Amino acid sequence: MFLCIVYFLFLLIYVYVCKAVVFSDAIKIWETGSVISFLYLSISYTLFFSLGSKKGMIVSMFLVIVGILFYTMHQLYIIDQFQSNKAFLVYINSPPIFLLSIIISILAVIASYFLSVKIYTKKHS
């Protein structure tokens, strides 16, 4: 949660100092990033408890690399389809979909906590 606040401060600097993107688009990108980060937190948290720190880190980094490759391929596809040099931004554009996705991501973090506690107690009891 702390990092979401820090990223929001960077967003303000990026919008008002660098003037690279308008505030409404920046908020949508920040919201999408928050949802993705909560989902990633819930997955990696459970991976570390189920696989251990070393194997969990390897699988977690693999997931990050796959995510980066997926995003890059998506951006290249969009640029190729529109024959433009401008990179398109990906964000959740609908408020109801954002609200649903943030609720799901927070529930996923809560579920991963309880699952991780269960895995830990099973391993160490």
Side-chain angles (χ1 to χ4, degrees):
M1 189 57 130
F2 173 73
L3 286 179
C4 286
I5 296 169
V6 171
Y7 293 148
F8 185 77
L9 295 175
F10 280 115
L11 172 139
L12 293 176
I13 292 169
Y14 194 65
V15 168
Y16 293 114
V17 175
C18 298
K19 298 187 187 314
V21 67
V22 295
F23 185 73
S24 61
D25 286 343
I27 287 292
K28 291 175 186 175
I29 294 166
W30 177 75
E31 291 171 344
T32 305
S34 297
V35 168
I36 292 170
S37 66
F38 281 129
L39 288 174
Y40 178 73
L41 174 68
S42 66
I43 292 168
S44 65
Y45 196 68
T46 307
L47 282 174
F48 282 113
F49 277 98
S50 63
L51 299 176
S53 61
K54 190 177 249 185
K55 289 179 187 175
M57 179 62 79
I58 292 170
V59 173
S60 182
M61 286 298 110
F62 176 76
L63 290 175
V64 167
I65 291 169
V66 167
I68 290 170
L69 289 175
F70 176 76
Y71 181 76
T72 303
M73 295 304 289
H74 180 264
Q75 292 292 58
L76 291 175
Y77 173 76
I78 288 175
I79 291 170
D80 185 49
Q81 288 296 316
F82 293 102
Q83 299 298 322
S84 172
N85 292 332
K86 181 180 177 186
F88 290 87
L89 303 173
V90 176
Y91 52 80
I92 299 172
N93 201 15
S94 168
I97 292 174
F98 168 71
L99 185 61
L100 180 64
S101 61
I102 197 72
I103 290 170
I104 289 171
S105 64
I106 290 172
L107 289 175
V109 170
I110 293 169
S112 72
Y113 168 77
F114 288 114
L115 182 62
S116 298
V117 167
K118 189 174 183 176
I119 291 170
Y120 181 81
T121 55
K122 189 175 183 178
K123 279 186 173 184
H124 296 288
S125 61

